[in-house]
Amino acid sequence: AAESAAASESSQPADKKVVLGFAQVGAESGWRSANTKSIQESAATAGFDLKFSDAQQKQENQIKAIRSYIQQKVDVIAFSPVVESGWDTVLKEAKEAGIPVILTDRAVDSEDTSLYKTFIGSDFVEEGRKAGQWLVDQYKDASGEVNIVELQGTTGSAPANDRKSGFLDVITSNPNLKIIASQTGDFTRAKGKEVMQAFLQANKKIDVLYAHNDDMALGAIQAIEAAGLKPGVDIKIISVDGVHDGIQAASEGKINFIVECNPLLGPQLMTAVNDVLAGKDIPLRIVTEEGTFTSEQALAALPNRQY
Ligand code: GZL
């Protein structure tokens, strides 16, 4: 009787595992792999039954996955929206089914914030501002024009939109700093290399590359070296994430400045799942802590990096 009483008090019967449905963006970058590992390991540690899907960076696949979790009557749905728009319908379906939703990593542009319990992730505008500030400091005495090319993240994604706007907002303080070309590399190495090749062919003088993630910067480095130029010297490179291969390149002076974007969101997500199921009020926004790395700092940090 005591056990059944305990079970009836909490929202979960004592022996039933919490079922968490997670709809992941894809496996496009080192950051994403580290993020997936953090979520899978944290769910196991929390004793949750994790249902996990990879949408290959396609919104329709994420929506399908969320609908399948609704059908399966999972306890909580969490996902990292590949793009900001187009989520209201499926989030309303989850709400009508009485299944709480938690956003991780990327935000949605829904006006109705009752459609999700919280958004756990970085401040991408601040990341763009940090990247821009480093460049402004580097070129504060520049007399001539500084030609910048930009490899944007996935079109329509919160990190691409916000890293662009934060960067632009800061560099306008120096009219010499000019973005002469800007195009999406979809957060992948392959596309980053391809677009950088095109930038190099179309522009005779490129001084700086601003890449929205390390993977595109690493692809661009291949293109820069193939063109007989020295990355980090002939073309300064600023990137975002701080994954192992990015930190490695920075420690070798091929990337000059990295703005960290923390992928290890698993523990905060599992805490939020428990709090939501316990009926606790949680903040609508949980911002993850992160820093920056110059080449010297990357060299010192390399031995201790977890991912
Ligand atoms: C940022 C995340 C971005 C990373 C990329 O939080 O959404 O997606 O910066 C990843 O590496 O592909």
Side-chain angles (χ1 to χ4, degrees):
E3 193 174 86
S4 62
S8 62
E9 269 155 31
S10 79
S11 61
Q12 301 292 336
D15 60 346
K16 181 181 173 303
K17 270 191 165 190
V18 168
V19 183
L20 170 62
F22 191 89
Q24 181 59 295
V25 165
E28 73 281 2
S29 64
W31 190 99
R32 188 64 55 199
S33 307
N35 179 248
T36 290
K37 187 163 175 278
S38 174
I39 287 158
Q40 291 173 334
E41 288 178 353
S42 302
T45 306
F48 294 169
D49 173 4
L50 177 68
K51 298 187 180 303
F52 186 89
S53 64
D54 171 335
Q56 287 92 41
Q57 290 184 281
K58 290 183 176 57
Q59 180 173 30
E60 65 267 21
N61 291 346
Q62 279 194 301
I63 290 173
K64 274 190 209 125
I66 292 168
R67 287 199 165 117
S68 82
Y69 297 145
I70 293 171
Q71 291 305 318
Q72 296 173 60
K73 298 187 182 346
V74 300
D75 297 303
V76 179
I77 291 170
F79 75 113
S80 168
V82 61
V83 292
E84 290 193 271
S85 308
W87 299 100
D88 286 38
T89 303
V90 73
L91 291 179
K92 282 183 183 129
E93 290 167 20
K95 186 177 178 184
E96 277 145 25
I99 300 175
V101 173
I102 293 173
L103 303 181
T104 66
D105 166 28
R106 298 184 186 178
V108 298
D109 60 8
S110 303
E111 300 288 317
D112 180 359
T113 56
S114 76
L115 293 175
Y116 53 91
K117 292 295 180 188
T118 186
F119 161 41
I120 304 168
S122 304
D123 179 342
F124 302 131
V125 174
E126 184 53 30
E127 289 173 353
R129 296 182 63 81
K130 287 176 185 174
Q133 192 53 55
W134 181 83
L135 199 61
V136 165
D137 296 344
Q138 289 299 308
Y139 286 95
K140 61 180 178 303
D141 305 325
S143 51
E145 282 194 355
V146 178
N147 290 340
I148 304 161
V149 294
E150 180 181 30
L151 282 171
Q152 295 186 43
T154 301
T155 304
S157 69
N161 293 337
D162 295 352
R163 284 171 186 167
K164 180 174 184 57
S165 63
F167 181 78
L168 218 49
D169 188 35
V170 169
I171 67 164
T172 46
S173 62
N174 179 344
N176 283 328
L177 301 177
K178 287 197 173 325
I179 297 180
I180 58 171
S182 180
Q183 195 177 327
T184 183
D186 210 17
F187 284 131
T188 67
R189 291 194 192 199
K191 202 89 173 74
K193 179 179 180 180
E194 186 190 309
V195 174
M196 190 66 204
Q197 277 165 342
F199 285 164
L200 287 162
Q201 277 150 18
N203 301 281
K204 57 186 181 314
K205 179 179 176 285
I206 297 174
D207 302 300
V208 178
L209 163 65
Y210 171 44
H212 289 185
N213 83 330
D214 291 347
D215 286 76
M216 293 190 293
L218 292 162
I221 284 169
Q222 292 173 5
I224 291 168
E225 290 176 331
L229 298 170
K230 281 175 73 65
V233 179
D234 299 323
I235 297 180
K236 298 290 183 200
I237 300 180
I238 308 163
S239 179
V240 186
D241 276 351
V243 294
H244 177 272
D245 293 353
I247 296 287
Q248 177 70 45
S251 71
E252 295 162 2
K254 293 186 175 181
I255 294 178
N256 303 92
F257 189 67
I258 294 185
V259 177
E260 185 184 30
C261 179
N262 183 354
L264 305 181
L265 304 178
Q268 285 173 291
L269 171 57
M270 302 316 151
T271 301
V273 169
N274 277 320
D275 289 349
V276 164
L277 290 177
K280 286 184 189 166
D281 269 338
I282 59 176
L284 192 61
R285 182 76 175 87
I286 301 171
V287 182
T288 41
E289 299 304 317
E290 48 214 23
T292 57
F293 296 92
T294 61
S295 290
E296 298 72 32
Q297 289 163 339
L299 189 59
L302 196 53
N304 308 319
R305 295 296 286 173
Q306 290 178 61
Y307 56 89

